[in-house]
Each structure stands twice: as C-alpha cells, then as structure tokens.
Amino acid sequence: QVQLVESGGGLVQAGGSLRLSCVASGSIFTINAMCWYRQAPGKQRELVAIITYGGTTNYARGVKGRFTISRDNAKNMVYLQMNSLKPEETAVYYCNFHQRTEDYWGQGTQVTVSS
C-alpha cells in the first residue's frame, strides 16, 4: 500500500502561480511513475503531467510550457509548479502514484483561479 498526501492548493488570480506538493509513503519500489491529474466540476478527471522515477516527463498539451513537474526520489515527493494559471484550470488536483499494476490516489487539493 502507498499513501499520498497533497498540499499547496489555494486561491490565485488569473496569471498567478501555485506550487503543489505530494508526498508518498508506504511500500515504494524504484520502478514507478508519479502524476498529477485534475478534475473540474462536471468534467472527467484528466492527466496533467507525469514523471517517471528516472525523470522523464510528459505534459498535457494545454499546460506545456506553463507547468513543470519534478520529483525528489529521496523524499518520495512530486511537485507541480503551475504558472500563468487560467480560470478554466480551477479544479481539484490529484496526485497519482503508479507502480507495477497498481494506482494510488491522494485526497486531492483544490485550486481556484479567479478572473
């Protein structure tokens, strides 16, 4: 089992920045990937960014160039730096941990971007 705890959400004006953090604990192996998803009201959960244990990253098209995912393997942490935020990016942001065939989710952190 792996437990995830997110932090760093909040209210920000359009064009502003936020940094989300997520710490993983439990039975963690070195072959894994950590991701950020988001779910806006009335919409499906969508992948925002992914980073492998080795540091390979990939981003959703709409956030590329504005968001940066990073991780600290020694601390089992993943971060999401979000710049130039838009009101339509208001959502609950979830940390996801994938290893072997299992997925684990955090409780989510609310990000609200005001116009």
Side-chain angles (χ1 to χ4, degrees), residues 7-13 17-20 82 85 89-91 93 109-114:
S7 60
L11 174 65
V12 64
Q13 288 188 330
S17 298
L18 280 176
R19 188 190 193 214
L20 306 182
M82 305 185 292
L85 282 160
E89 293 178 314
T90 293
Y93 283 69
T109 184
Q110 177 70 45
V111 171
T112 302
V113 185
S114 64

Side-chain angles (χ1 to χ4, degrees), residues 51-103:
I51 185 167
T52 66
Y53 187 86
T56 300
T57 60
N58 204 357
Y59 297 91
R61 188 177 303 174
V63 307
K64 200 172 291 187
R66 296 186 297 118
F67 290 12
T68 302
I69 189 170
S70 60
R71 64 187 289 171
D72 183 333
N73 291 331
K75 297 180 179 179
N76 292 322
M77 293 196 70
V78 64
Y79 308 95
L80 186 67
Q81 177 66 43
M82 305 185 292
N83 299 328
S84 302
L85 282 160
K86 305 174 182 179
E88 55 265 37
E89 293 178 314
T90 293
V92 178
Y93 283 69
Y94 295 92
C95 178
N96 168 272
F97 183 90
H98 179 83
Q99 67 179 9
R100 296 185 174 178
T101 59
E102 297 173 328
D103 276 288

Side-chain angles (χ1 to χ4, degrees), residues 29-69:
F29 301 95
T30 56
I31 301 175
N32 62 64
M34 300 187 80
C35 312
W36 288 98
Y37 284 75
R38 65 187 178 192
Q39 187 167 18
K43 294 189 176 181
Q44 287 190 330
R45 193 172 296 190
E46 62 176 356
L47 177 65
V48 176
I50 181 171
I51 185 167
T52 66
Y53 187 86
T56 300
T57 60
N58 204 357
Y59 297 91
R61 188 177 303 174
V63 307
K64 200 172 291 187
R66 296 186 297 118
F67 290 12
T68 302
I69 189 170

